Structure formats: C-alpha cells, structure tokens
C-alpha cells in the first residue's frame, strides 16, 4: 500500500476509529481468542466497548497460528475499513525453543550467537502468528538487586550495543516486508530503566544528562541504527518526568535528534501511571501528556480511548497529533505487508514442523554452553570418566531453568541437569538426591543428600534462584543463595569430597558461602530449554567453558552498584601514596567486586605475548593498530575472549579507569597461537563533555589488553589532534 493510500485511509477514518488504532489490548478482549494469552502486568477493567475492540490496532500476548488466524479473520470481518491487527508479544530469548536469558547471552561475548537465537525465535514466533516482539531489552544494568538484570546483556555500553544490533538483525533480518519469518523488533525500555534507585523495580531514576548519554543511551541508539522498528517507553522518570510523558526525551531526543519515526508504545499501563507518578491529575491529563510526548500506542490502559475525543473537541489536542500516530502504526502494518497478507507468517503446518525442532534445540544447546561462565575450578572439572557423581540440589531435576520471560516455552520440555548427565555418564555412575528445596530443607532431604554424597567420588550441587526470584517485579535486597542451599553446602563440606556447584540464577549473586567452599563453580544463569544438556557437556569436558562475565559479581550487596568502568576519585585507595584511612574505601569489605567484568575460566590455559602498537601516537586520520599474540598453552581446545580497554588519562570531565572498546572471541587448538590485531580509531576515544559535545581530547591514553577487565597488559599512547 503506497504512502498516499495510507494518507487517504487515515482521511476515511473517523476520530474514534483513529483513536482505537492507538489502543493495544490483551487477548481476552478479542473474538476467536480462546484463552487469556500472556499477562505480564496488572489487569484491570478497562471499560472497553465492542466498538473499540473492533477498531483497535493491536493485541499483545497472543500466539498460535490457528488462534491468530481466527482472531485476525474475525477482526477483518468486524473492522469497517478492514485494517488488520498487529500481533505483538514478548519473545525475549526464544519462543518455544528457549535460549539462555540475555544476561547469559551477553556472557557469551558472541553477538553472532545472539543474532542466530533471535532469528530462530522470530521463525518460531512468526509461523505461530506473531508480527512484533517486545525485544531486545537493552537497559544497562549495574545493580544485581534488580530482578530484570537477567533481561539485559550487562554493564557495558559497548558490549550492550553490539548485542542490541545483533538481536535486531536476528529478529528483523534485512527484508521485513518480504520475509514473513521475521518479526519487527521493539527496543526497550526507553530510557535507563535499569538505573532504578536501590535496584528496586519501577523506582525513581535520576541522573545527569551526561551520564544518561554516556552510559545508558548508546545501546538504544545502536538498536535504532540497526533499523529497529519500535521503541517501548520505560516505567521510570528521566530528569524528573516519567518517560511515557516526557516530551524532552521522546520528541526532542528520540524523534528530533535521533530521527526515529517509528512506533512508540507505552509499557504496560505506563500512560495511566502518570497519575500515581504525580504528573497527571487524571486519565485525561495522562492521555494529554502521553500523546504530546509522542506515544503512539497505549498498552493495556484506556486513557486514550476515554479522553482523547474530548481533548480534541476541546482543542487541547490537535487532531494532527493523532493522525501522525495512526500513520506510524499503519506504516508499520504496511512494512509488515499486513494489508496484503494479514495472516503474514501464520502457518499451522509450518508451526508443527519448525517450532521446537531439533535444529533449533541444538542451537539453544550451543548458545547455553557458550553462555555459561566457569567461576572457579580447583582442577575438579571436567569430571573424570570413572568418577561416581552425586547430583544434589533443587535444580538437579528442575525444568525451572528457562528464566522469567519464557511464557511460550515449556519447563516440562526443558532438559534437566539430571537428564543431561544421565546421557553422558554410564549407568550406575550417577546418584541423585534433592538435598533441599529452593528455599526449604527437611531432615530427610539432608540425610538422603549426605548418603548420596558418601557413595560418590564427586558432588555436583545444582543450586540457584527459582524464576519467581528474578525477572520483572523480582528485586531482592539480599542477593545470596537462599539459606537452606547455603546450609546444604555447609553440611556436605565436612565429607571432604570434591564439590562442584552449578548455579541457575538471574543475577550476579553474593557468593559468600559458595565460591569459598566449593572446589568449582559453574554459572549457568537460566540456560533455557537445553540448559541441562549444555551443563552436562561442560561438566564432562565435551565442551570447554568460554563464557566471560558481562556484569560484575559484587563482593557483597553493600558494594552495589559495583561496575568495572568506574572513576578513580580524588582519593583512590590503591594510589602509591594512599593514606591508611582517608581514602575511598570500606572499613569492612574491599572495593573490588568478587569477580570482575570480563572474567571467566577455561579448562585450558591461554598465554599472552607482549602487546605491540603500530605507533606511540595516533591522530584522527591515523588509527592505532594493537597486536597481541595469544597461545593455547593447554591440552584442550578452547575459546578465549581477548578484551581491549582504554583509559583517557585526563579528560574535560572525569573518565573511567577503563572502557571496553573491542573484543575478539577466538578458538584455539592445543598449542595453537594466533595474532589478534585491533584497530583503534579517534572516534572510539570520543565522550560526552560537560557541555554534552561528543568529541575526543588530545593527550595521554592507556591501552589495556587481556583476558578480563582486571588481568591486562597496559601500554601508553598519545592522541594528537
Ligand atoms: C511488562 C514489561 C515489558 C513487556 C510488557 C508487555 O510490564 O515491562 O518489558 O514488554 O509488559 O508484556
């Protein structure tokens, strides 16, 4: 449908029909939908008439080819102008084949893997009738108390940006109109939802514009530069105004400065939440502020429907604001080809054949294996062929390893650790016991665990957080493992058997009582449908762990927020002339995280040669080349993530001690050596100055290359301008 046709379509629409296009409803409102679909927020009676449903523009949380076809067919019959529905849902890390949560994927340091996972998710979701996914979530996170850190790829703006691009490429492909097996992506939550005070979900966010632009905005911009079709507003305030009613953020920055002319959708109820935020007296004012901010679709509340007509008739809202919103929505439907093919990719036959197929499950297993991070290993892993293994813990036989955003997945279909190990270990070698629940323990469970452990040569504990302890509205003030699980470790320790802990969790945890007591710790996060199979491949050495942390593990929750790209302060504790007391430190814990950004172990050893620079100076037209040789000095093939950081020694504002600027994940066979060359450009040295200008400063820099943010070789160079 040409743009002129869209214009004329809008002209033929009544004001009520146009406003209904701006309304997104959950599944139960629609004829032909048998069940409630995915409900991800507070439901409320919306006072919606049948006419509004007939004219609404989109539905969220509907999946299933037959269901979508039934709902779309009914809608096209009932809608006066035959405008098709947009079918949207959260397909964040997989549809039926669930991939590792994004925080795990970020630890793979493999954007190609993320792209593939999104491509598969789009294929499965599109044949099941979906058009749009509310992903990628690219909120930068520094506070593991927040339940949604599992949905982010971590604490670094550059790494998050690389993954944001990859997810958008995977979801959308490069021909969204022609390829019905792709989804329109919706980057979220704009903006800085991950910076809620106290790590408490939905809490206040307040930071300088410079901080926002330097750290929190790059990944959203990267997604949009990759062509992301939609943006979702955040629940929080930005500069004192809730994002969903924030003209400065949405009109001035997102649309004018960045040139985004796609669809902006509110997060669940965020339009009406302008009232409790205290910037709208009533729903009419909430509707006024949201439409003025440029929010095109109101999700799951009915301020637009109930109040825009009168706001227009009173002249407080110009109808052109509504026309532009409708036009953006209809343009998206056009780009998706919905006017010609309203069923788009919905195909029950293809659904049966492709959803959760072996090829997709294999990809999920590979992604899980590459996302797990080996945090400790006192030479007890990989397990040895003849060892008898006692597998104990609440996650030994649990399918609750999909993570909180897996509503279309099935825990019952997940491969558990027990199933994975049974397929690897010869019969009789695996002894199992529950040991405890996630947050409880009985004497009997403990006795059975002790008995199993006594019969074994090595203990494997599968511990963690259940999916209710993470995800949206899942903030925790104390981020240790639940006490019964710590008690289980304590009670097994005196047996003096090698003890391996595998963690299933959605956030960096306070690992006191775990890392100090276990002989090995494998961080599996929520690894998805094939998680148990991947963990078994890693424990038995079939696959060599290659994950590296994309978010720091705090020494204690008292340190939070703790992140690698922090400033030096005027009284750095580790300065050569630092005093004993009057420096930036805690009296009771170290400043450093327990495990740093970029950290992860392997079953093999990688050695680094001396870094070589192409010059001691660089300039805007003379980039710097940095070469380092990496050797696999062990007897097992493995993947290393070579990381490159810089430090601007003196800026117009304070600059971080280190900033990730490049990385390379490379596979090395035993004894193999590879030279890794990075090219550093002047653009990569730019940052936001106090006047928000984005430029580099001539002067002294350090360059650091190594295996994680703390274990690097440092050299110096100058930037000449
Ligand atoms: C939820 C989440 C958002 C999700 C939306 C629709 O409240 O904040 O990420 O996309 O509702 O399910």
């Amino acid at each position: 449908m040409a743009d002129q046709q869209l214009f004329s379509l809008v002209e033929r629409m009544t004001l009520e029909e146009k406003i209904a296009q701006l309304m997104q409803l959950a599944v139960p409102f629609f004829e032909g939908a048998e069940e409630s679909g995915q409900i991800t927020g507070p439901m409320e009676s919306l006072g919606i008439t049948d006419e509004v449903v007939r004219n609404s523009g989109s539905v969220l949380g509907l999946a299933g080819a037959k269901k979508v076809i039934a709902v779309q067919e009914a809608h096209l019959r009932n809608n006066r102008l035959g405008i098709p529905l947009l079918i949207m849902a959260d397909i964040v890390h997989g549809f039926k084949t669930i991939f590792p949560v994004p925080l795990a994927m970020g630890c793979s340091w493999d954007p190609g893997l993320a792209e593939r996972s999104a491509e598969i998710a789009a294929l499965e979701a599109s044949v099941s009738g979906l058009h749009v996914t509310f992903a990628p979530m690219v909120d930068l996170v520094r506070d593991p108390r927040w339940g949604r850190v599992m949905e982010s790829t971590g604490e670094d703006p550059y790494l998050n940006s690389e993954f944001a691009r990859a997810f958008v490429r995977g979801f959308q492909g490069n021909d969204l109109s022609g390829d019905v097996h792709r989804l329109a992506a919706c980057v979220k939550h704009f903006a800085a939802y991950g910076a809620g005070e106290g790590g408490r979900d939905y809490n206040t966010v307040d930071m300088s514009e410079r901080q926002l632009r330097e750290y929190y905005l790059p990944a959203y911009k990267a997604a949009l530069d990759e062509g992301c079709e939609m943006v979702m507003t955040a629940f929080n305030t930005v500069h004192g105004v809730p994002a969903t009613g924030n003209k400065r953020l949405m009109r001035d920055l997102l649309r004018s400065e960045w040139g985004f002319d796609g669809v902006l959708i509110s997060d669940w109820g965020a339009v009406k939440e302008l009232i409790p935020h205290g910037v709208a007296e009533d729903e009419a004012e909430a509707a006024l502020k949201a439409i003025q901010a440029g929010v095109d679709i109101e999700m799951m509340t009915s301020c637009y429907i109930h109040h825009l007509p009168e706001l227009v008739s009173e002249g407080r809202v110009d109808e052109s604001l509504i026309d532009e919103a409708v036009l953006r929505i209809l343009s998206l439907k056009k780009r998706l080809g919905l006017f010609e093919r309203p069923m788009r990719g919905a195909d029950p036959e293809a659904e049966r054949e492709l959803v959760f197929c072996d090829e997709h499950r294999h990809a999920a297993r590979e992604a899980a294996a590459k996302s797990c991070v080996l945090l400790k290993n006192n030479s007890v892993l990989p397990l040895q062929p003849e060892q008898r293994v006692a597998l104990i813990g609440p996650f030994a036989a649990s399918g609750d390893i999909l993570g909180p955003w897996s509503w279309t997945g099935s825990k019952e279909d997940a491969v558990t650790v027990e199933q994975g190990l049974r397929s690897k270990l010869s019969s009789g070698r695996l002894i199992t016991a529950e040991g405890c629940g996630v947050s409880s323990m009985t004497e009997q469970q403990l006795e059975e665990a002790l008995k199993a452990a006594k019969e074994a040569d090595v203990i494997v504990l599968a511990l963690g957080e259940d999916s209710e302890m993470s995800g949206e509205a899942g903030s925790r003030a104390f981020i240790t493992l639940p006490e019964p699980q710590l008690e289980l470790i304590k009670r097994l320790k005196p047996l003096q058997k090698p003890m391996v802990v595998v963690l299933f969790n959605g956030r960096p945890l306070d690992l006191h009582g775990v890392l100090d007591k276990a002989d090995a710790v494998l961080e599996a996060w929520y690894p998805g449908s094939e998680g148990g199979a991947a963990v078994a491949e890693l424990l038995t050495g079939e696959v060599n762990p290659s994950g590296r942390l994309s978010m720091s593990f705090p020494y204690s929750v008292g340190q939070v927020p703790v992140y690698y790209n922090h400033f030096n302060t005027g009284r750095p504790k580790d300065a050569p002339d630092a005093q004993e007391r009057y420096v930036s430190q805690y009296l009771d814990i170290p400043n450093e995280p327990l495990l740093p950004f970029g950290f992860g172990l392997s079953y093999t050893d990688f050695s680094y040669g001396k870094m070589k620079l192409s010059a001691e100076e660089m300039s805007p037209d003379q980039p710097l080349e940095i070469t380092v040789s990496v050797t696999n000095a062990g007897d097992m093939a493995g993947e290393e993530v070579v990381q490159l950081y810089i430090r601007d020694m003196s800026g117009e504002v304070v600059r971080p001690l280190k900033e990730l600027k490049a990385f390379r994940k490379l596979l090395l066979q035993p004894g193999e050596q590879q030279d890794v060359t990075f090219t550093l450009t002047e653009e990569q040295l730019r940052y936001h100055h106090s006047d928000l200008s984005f430029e580099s400063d001539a002067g002294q820099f350090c360059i650091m290359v190594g295996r994680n943010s703390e274990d690097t070789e440092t050299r110096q160079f100058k930037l000449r301008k």
Side-chain angles (χ1 to χ4, degrees), residues 528-595:
S529 303
E530 292 289 313
V535 164
E537 288 177 349
L538 293 164
L539 293 178
T540 57
E542 187 177 328
V543 174
N544 190 347
S546 65
R548 301 289 184 271
L549 294 179
S550 63
M551 188 175 180
S552 307
F553 269 62
Y555 181 90
S556 144
V557 73
Q559 262 184 355
V560 170
V562 63
Y563 47 93
Y564 88 94
N565 47 353
H566 61 80
F567 302 135
N568 201 27
T569 79
R571 292 202 176 183
K573 175 184 169 196
D574 49 9
D577 60 349
Q579 301 184 33
E580 184 64 28
R581 182 174 176 90
Y582 298 99
V583 292
S584 181
Q585 65 179 353
Y586 299 100
L587 294 179
D588 49 358
I589 62 170
N591 290 0
E592 296 72 28
L594 187 68
L595 297 165

Side-chain angles (χ1 to χ4, degrees), residues 297-338:
I297 298 178
E298 177 183 12
M299 183 192 294
M300 283 312 292
T301 51
S302 47
C303 303
Y304 278 13
I305 278 296
H306 290 144
H307 300 284
L308 280 181
E310 96 219 25
L311 288 168
V312 171
S313 60
E314 290 165 0
R316 296 175 64 196
V317 168
D318 192 299
E319 191 163 348
S320 63
L321 281 191
I322 295 173
D323 291 351
E324 75 174 44
V326 174
L327 210 50
R328 283 193 282 261
I329 295 164
L330 297 181
S331 300
L332 177 56
K333 295 182 181 184
K334 172 184 169 246
R335 283 194 297 281
L336 284 164
L338 293 180

Side-chain angles (χ1 to χ4, degrees), residues 383-385 387-391 418-431 460 536 539-540:
L383 299 174
Q384 297 310 306
Q387 282 178 313
R388 286 173 303 158
V389 178
L391 174 62
E418 181 180 346
Q419 291 165 335
L421 282 177
R422 284 208 187 285
S423 72
K424 301 289 176 196
L425 305 182
S426 55
S427 64
R429 278 186 55 202
L430 186 65
I431 312 151
V460 174
L539 293 178
T540 57

Side-chain angles (χ1 to χ4, degrees), residues 241-253:
V241 179
T244 308
N246 193 321
K247 282 177 71 174
R248 174 180 165 192
L249 182 68
M250 300 302 181
R251 290 275 184 201
D252 301 347
L253 195 154

